[in-house]
Amino acid sequence: EAQVTQNPRYLITVTGKKLTVTCSQNMNHEYMSWYRQDPGLGLRQIYYSMNVEVTDKGDVPEGYKVSRKEKRNFPLILESPSPNQTSLYFCASSLTSGRAYEQYFGPGTRLTVT
Amino acid sequence: LAKTTQPISMDSYEGQEVNITCSHNNIATNDYITWYQQFPSQGPRFIIQGYKTKVTNEVASLFIPADRKSSTLSLPRVSLSDTAVYYCLVGPGTKAAGNKLTFGGGTRVLVKP
C-alpha cells in the first residue's frame, strides 16, 4: 500500500531535549516536505527536499533541521525544542513532475513541548 | 503564489450538493487550481485539480469560468463522512516551484443528518 508513515504519532517532551520525528514513504517520490499545523494559522511549510541531499527552507524553518540521506526518508529534527513548537506536524511526498501537485500526507505527529 | 479567498464555513444536509467557491483574482497564466480535503487529525488529501472549464472525477467536480478568477468545488450528494475542511490552492501545476503548496484557511463543511 502506497503510504507516508510518521513516528511517533504522539510525543510529549520537555524544553531543550533533542528529538527526531521520522518520515518515510514507499512511493519512490523525489519530493518530501514537512508542515506544521496550528489553530488559526493553517498549514505552514517548514522544510522541503527535491531529492536526496537537496533540502531547502520553507516558510517557518527556525528551530528545525532536516536531512535527506535516502530517497524514502526525511526526518525532522528539533535540536532544542521550545513550547512554541507545540504543534501538529505532517510529512508529505510527491513526484517532481507529472502529478507533482498531488502530495501524499502522513497521519501526523502531535508534539507537545512543556 | 496567488492568494485565495474562500468561505470560512458551510453547513449542509445529507444528500444535498455542496458548492464551495474560491476567489483567486490574481491567478497567473500558468497556475492551476487544486483542492484538498482534510478530516480532523488527519493529513490533507488531494481531491481534484483543474486549469479551465470543468473537471470531474469520482469524488467531485471543479468548475472554472473563462476568466479563471474563481472556481467552484462541487460535492454531489454529501454524506456525514464528507464533514471536513476543504482547501483551495492556486499555483504552478505539474512542476510547482519547489512543489510548494500554500494552504489558506480552508472552508469547514459540516454535513448534518
Side-chain angles (χ1 to χ4, degrees), chain A residues 9 31 35 37 42-43 45 48 50 58-59 88 90 94-103 105-107 110, chain B residues 32 34 36 38 41-46 48-49 87 92-105:
Chain A
R9 295 289 313 280
Y31 178 87
Y35 295 85
Q37 186 169 34
L43 281 132
Q45 189 180 53
Y48 66 92
M50 296 296 288
D59 296 320
L88 179 58
F90 291 103
S94 74
L95 300 169
T96 54
S97 61
R99 295 176 67 90
Y101 50 83
E102 185 173 353
Q103 293 198 10
F105 283 77
R110 188 167 293 280
Chain B
Y32 283 68
T34 309
Y36 276 74
Q38 185 179 25
S41 298
Q42 293 187 27
R45 182 177 75 105
F46 168 83
I48 197 167
Q49 188 194 66
Y87 295 96
T94 56
K95 293 199 76 170
N99 283 44
K100 180 174 179 175
L101 297 180
T102 299
F103 287 83

Side-chain angles (χ1 to χ4, degrees), chain B residues 39-90:
Chain B
F39 297 115
S41 298
Q42 293 187 27
R45 182 177 75 105
F46 168 83
I47 301 178
I48 197 167
Q49 188 194 66
Y51 184 81
K52 62 180 179 180
T53 63
K54 177 183 175 182
V55 179
T56 297
N57 62 22
E58 64 278 3
V59 177
S61 294
L62 178 59
F63 299 91
I64 306 167
D67 67 5
R68 303 198 330 119
K69 293 184 183 299
S70 67
S71 58
T72 299
L73 176 73
S74 180
L75 306 172
R77 297 179 299 281
V78 293
S79 64
L80 297 177
S81 63
D82 292 314
T83 292
V85 178
Y86 294 83
Y87 295 96
C88 167
L89 294 82
V90 173

